[in-house]
Amino acid sequence: MGYQSKGSMRLAGGKSPFDTRVYEVDKDPKRLFIIFTEGVATEQKYFIALSKSKNLKDNIDIKVLDRWKKNSGRSNQYYIIQDIINYINDIDSIEDCDKKKFIAYFTQIVEGCNYDTLMNVSQKIPKLAKKYPNLISATNHIQQQLLSVATVTTYNKDFDKICIVMDRDKHSFSQEQYDQVIELCNENDFYLGISNPCFEFFLLLHLDDLLSEDRIEILENEKNGKKTLVEFLLDKKMKEVLDLSFHKTNYNVDYFIENYEIGKKNIGNYSTKNTELKNNVGTSLFFILEQLLK
């Protein structure tokens, strides 16, 4: 698959669909941060917990969305950005009356409804799926799909923010693609949080400054058995500090959120700008967290 030409992957112009949120008079609206993550286990678990944390700023609302339906199995970071842009543009093209249906059906399912309403909704959703096959799939979690569409529909591009969290992962993320990812995110005004070599390094900084570790070995992050070096170090440090093991789908997320200031201090020893993270150990995630945490 060839690369898109510069500028060809921007969000669609024209009338914005992101103007449906109701703002209360004399009350500051919450700023919505939509989080898309490359990984669907460790990263999502962190940001879902963050969305419920008492440390979250009062004027911030976080929604962690599952990967877009089409090409959801792709892991190459450049194509992930393309997929997100295409997904948002597909929602941009939804007819106004159908945007309201997506929101209404999701609300009815989540908040609860009587038997007749449930039966009515179950008959209408397949019609939306047929009309918008890139947005709704019969084989995937329907509630999450409706949430994703309904959330992006209410997104205000001049006020809210889309954040994309991914690993550097030089094995699947070429030098050229890295530059293109940064360019696409800048063009579309996305926040991009990259960790080199991986998200687990970001977590590690909440436990240790890692200055005693070989930086080249961290950057290479070779796998030994079932764990990469960084996963091994994270598991080791968690056992020392918390007497707990690290598992991608089950770890003490609250500890990392509560100790954000330690991680923020330790990142001072590493690269924090996306332009520098192509070949250097570090993470730009703390910039995003500064916007979210008290």
Side-chain angles (χ1 to χ4, degrees):
M1 179 177 181
Y3 297 139
Q4 299 284 336
S5 60
K6 291 184 178 180
S8 63
M9 287 299 295
R10 291 184 182 181
L11 296 182
K15 181 181 177 181
S16 171
F18 311 135
D19 56 4
T20 58
R21 196 182 314 166
V22 176
Y23 299 105
E24 297 182 34
V25 178
D26 298 328
K27 185 176 181 180
D28 291 333
K30 286 194 173 185
R31 190 181 185 196
L32 175 63
F33 278 71
I34 296 177
I35 311 289
F36 287 104
T37 65
E38 173 191 351
V40 295
T42 314
E43 295 93 325
Q44 280 201 0
K45 188 172 181 63
Y46 176 89
F47 284 102
I48 289 172
L50 186 65
S51 72
K52 304 172 184 177
S53 172
K54 65 181 185 298
N55 296 325
L56 191 67
K57 290 180 180 177
D58 294 335
N59 66 333
I60 296 296
D61 186 20
I62 294 176
K63 298 294 184 185
V64 183
L65 301 188
D66 268 354
R67 294 269 293 276
W68 44 103
K69 184 187 83 66
K70 188 178 180 181
N71 299 323
S72 60
R74 300 206 294 191
S75 60
N76 179 279
Q77 289 82 350
Y78 173 68
Y79 296 125
I80 287 173
I81 301 295
Q82 285 187 321
D83 288 340
I84 291 174
I85 294 171
N86 287 334
Y87 179 74
I88 295 172
N89 283 335
D90 283 342
I91 295 176
D92 185 20
S93 66
I94 297 175
E95 296 177 10
D96 288 342
C97 60
D98 289 334
K99 292 172 192 171
K100 295 178 181 178
K101 291 177 183 178
F102 274 105
I103 296 173
Y105 297 161
F106 171 74
T107 302
Q108 289 168 334
I109 291 175
V110 172
E111 294 186 354
C113 56
N114 59 35
Y115 177 84
D116 290 338
T117 300
L118 180 61
M119 292 299 99
N120 184 44
V121 170
S122 67
Q123 292 173 0
K124 290 182 177 179
I125 289 177
K127 296 178 181 178
L128 282 180
K130 185 177 181 180
K131 191 171 183 179
Y132 303 104
N134 288 340
L135 299 176
I136 297 292
S137 166
T139 59
N140 294 335
H141 194 293
I142 188 61
Q143 182 174 321
Q144 184 62 38
Q145 291 181 83
L146 291 174
L147 168 64
S148 295
V149 177
T151 299
V152 176
T153 297
T154 64
Y155 170 81
N156 185 320
K157 63 182 178 182
D158 296 320
F159 181 68
D160 304 318
K161 212 70 182 178
I162 287 176
C163 306
I164 302 171
V165 177
M166 59 176 53
D167 296 342
R168 169 64 181 97
D169 193 4
K170 64 180 182 180
H171 300 293
S172 66
F173 196 1
S174 73
Q175 298 270 341
E176 182 182 6
Q177 288 175 333
Y178 189 96
D179 294 334
Q180 290 173 322
V181 162
I182 292 178
E183 183 178 359
L184 285 174
C185 286
N186 288 338
E187 288 178 353
N188 291 284
D189 200 27
F190 295 161
Y191 278 163
L192 176 63
I194 293 180
S195 297
N196 192 359
C198 57
F199 184 78
E200 285 78 10
F201 174 78
F202 159 76
L203 295 177
L204 255 174
L205 291 175
H206 297 73
L207 296 162
D208 194 279
D209 60 20
L210 300 173
L211 296 179
S212 63
E213 304 293 335
D214 187 299
R215 196 165 296 206
I216 298 300
E217 290 185 358
I218 291 178
L219 194 63
E220 292 298 322
N221 197 28
E222 295 294 338
K223 197 167 188 178
N224 186 359
K226 293 184 178 181
K227 295 182 182 294
T228 64
L229 172 63
V230 174
E231 290 171 349
F232 171 80
L233 290 174
L234 180 56
D235 185 60
K236 177 183 176 183
K237 295 295 181 181
M238 283 187 64
K239 288 175 179 175
E240 292 175 358
V241 177
L242 303 174
D243 196 29
L244 294 170
S245 298
F246 170 73
H247 301 283
K248 283 182 173 292
T249 59
N250 183 23
Y251 65 100
N252 190 343
V253 184
D254 290 338
Y255 172 86
F256 295 97
I257 295 174
E258 294 291 337
N259 288 277
Y260 158 75
E261 292 293 341
I262 296 175
K264 184 179 177 181
K265 177 182 177 182
N266 286 336
I267 192 55
N269 300 303
Y270 302 93
S271 297
T272 59
K273 296 180 179 179
N274 288 329
T275 51
E276 299 172 352
L277 288 168
K278 181 194 291 188
N279 300 307
N280 295 296
V281 175
T283 179
S284 57
L285 276 173
F286 287 98
F287 168 77
I288 295 177
L289 292 177
E290 285 176 354
Q291 322 302 311
L292 305 176
L293 291 168
K294 296 176 181 176

